Each structure stands twice: as structure tokens, then as C-alpha cells.
């Protein structure tokens, strides 16, 4: 575009004032200026900017998807490690319970033969009770790990609510 501007202002370096009766103190040094403004529009391609913004948004969504996939993989791996550790813990607890039960049975036979007093038998009985409690706790931890695994895999509803019924209240509807 091409614009023409102009202005007239009082001023100057040696200002003189009129001292006549018609115009007392009026400035006689009027300045004027004129100018031409020429402007060229700079290309602002909004379509190109929108395309780049779309590419950036797509890349951000791709990175978000990758982060989510990584989090799911980590959750499944952690749940699987929990199941594996739970199985090992249960096997060790059952083995310890079997060994403790054998010791208790041997203590009972020793009591019948008079080789052990009742206090020692009660100690073996307490050990057996603790071993049974440890086995129950290991079973519970394993079931919790299996539930966490199915939750991470996304098939918990199929496992615990076959037929797609999630709530017992919905089954009545």
C-alpha cells in the first residue's frame, strides 16, 4: 500500500513572535512536513502455520500414546513379576509348612514315648500354626497379584463377571 501523510506544526530553532495588536505573541515559524509511506505485506501464510501446528499436535499425541503404551507394559511386567514372586513365595511357604508339620508329628510321637515334654510339643504346635498362617498369607498375596495382572491386562471383567455383567445390581435389571 502507498500512503501520503502531511502535517503543519509550530516550531523551529529560532522562534519569532508577532507583537502586533491583532495577534500578540503568536508564533510566526510554522513548520510543515510531508511524507510518503510505502508498505509491502509480509506473507503470513496461515494455512502453512496451521499445517505445522497440526504436525506438532500429531507428534505430541504420538508421544503421549508411546508413553501410555510404555506405562501399560511396565504395569503388566510388574504384575507378572508379582505373580511369579507370589508363586515362589507360596511354594516356599507350603514346603516350610510341610516340614513344620513333620516336626510336629515327630514331637507327638516323641511325647508318646516320653522323650519330649508337653511344653516342647506346644512350641512345635505354635510353629505349625505360624507356618500355616504364612501359607495362607502367601496364597492371599498370590491371588492379589493374579488380580493385579488381570487388571493390567484389561480382562478382569471377563474373569470375575462372565457374560459381561459387571455389577450384580445390573444383572437384575
Amino acid at each position: 500500500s502507498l500512503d501520503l501523510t502531511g502535517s503543519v506544526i509550530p516550531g523551529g530553532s529560532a522562534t519569532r513572535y508577532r507583537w502586533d495588536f491583532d495577534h500578540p505573541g503568536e508564533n510566526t515559524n510554522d513548520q510543515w512536513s510531508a511524507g510518503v509511506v510505502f508498505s509491502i505485506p509480509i506473507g503470513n501464510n496461515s494455512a502453512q502455520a496451521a499445517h505445522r501446528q497440526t504436525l506438532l499436535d500429531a507428534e505430541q499425541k504420538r508421544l503421549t500414546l508411546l508413553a501410555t503404551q510404555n506405562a501399560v507394559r511396565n504395569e503388566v511386567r510388574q504384575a507378572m513379576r508379582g505373580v511369579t514372586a507370589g508363586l515362589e513365595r507360596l511354594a516356599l511357604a507350603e514346603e516350610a509348612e510341610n516340614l513344620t508339620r513333620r516336626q510336629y508329628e515327630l514331637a507327638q510321637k516323641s511325647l508318646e514315648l516320653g522323650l519330649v515334654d508337653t511344653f516342647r510339643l506346644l512350641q512345635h504346635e505354635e510353629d505349625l500354626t505360624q507356618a500355616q498362617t504364612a501359607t495362607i498369607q502367601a496364597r492371599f498375596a498370590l491371588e492379589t497379584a493374579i488380580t493385579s495382572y488381570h487388571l493390567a491386562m484389561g480382562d478382569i471383567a471377563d474373569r470375575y463377571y462372565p457374560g459381561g455383567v459387571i455389577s450384580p445390581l445390573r444383572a437384575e435389571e
Side-chain angles (χ1 to χ4, degrees):
S1 69
L2 180 63
D3 294 325
L4 179 61
T5 61
S7 64
V8 176
I9 57 170
S13 59
T15 305
R16 291 177 299 197
Y17 295 99
R18 284 186 177 174
W19 293 105
D20 58 2
F21 292 108
D22 292 334
H23 307 288
E26 188 175 295
N27 187 356
T28 58
N29 287 341
D30 292 333
Q31 289 183 340
W32 61 273
S33 65
V36 176
V37 177
F38 179 71
S39 62
I40 299 173
I42 298 174
N44 185 5
N45 192 345
S46 61
Q48 191 177 32
H51 175 67
R52 288 183 180 163
Q53 183 65 40
T54 304
L55 291 177
L56 288 174
D57 290 344
E59 181 65 15
Q60 184 178 9
K61 289 186 186 333
R62 187 185 73 79
L63 292 174
T64 302
L65 176 64
L66 289 175
T68 303
Q69 288 173 340
N70 191 30
V72 169
R73 268 195 296 281
N74 285 338
E75 187 176 347
V76 170
R77 286 179 188 150
Q78 184 178 1
M80 193 61 203
R81 282 193 299 268
V83 170
T84 304
L87 286 170
E88 291 172 1
R89 181 179 172 199
L90 179 62
L92 291 173
E94 286 175 341
E95 185 179 344
E97 182 182 349
N98 290 336
L99 290 173
T100 307
R101 180 173 281 114
R102 285 185 54 207
Q103 286 179 342
Y104 176 71
E105 290 169 356
L106 288 173
Q108 280 181 327
K109 288 181 184 177
S110 297
L111 181 67
E112 291 172 4
L113 297 173
L115 299 173
V116 174
D117 58 357
T118 56
F119 178 74
R120 300 268 184 225
L121 181 66
L122 288 175
Q123 282 181 332
H124 286 288
E125 188 175 330
E126 177 67 24
D127 291 342
L128 178 60
T129 304
Q130 288 177 357
Q132 289 171 336
T133 302
T135 302
I136 292 169
Q137 288 173 343
R139 271 197 191 102
F140 180 77
L142 176 62
E143 289 299 321
T144 302
I146 290 171
T147 302
S148 296
Y149 174 76
H150 287 292
L151 183 63
M153 292 298 292
D155 61 356
I156 194 162
D158 296 335
R159 180 169 170 84
Y160 293 104
Y161 300 106
V165 178
I166 295 179
S167 170
L169 297 176
R170 286 192 180 170
E172 295 171 4
E173 293 176 356

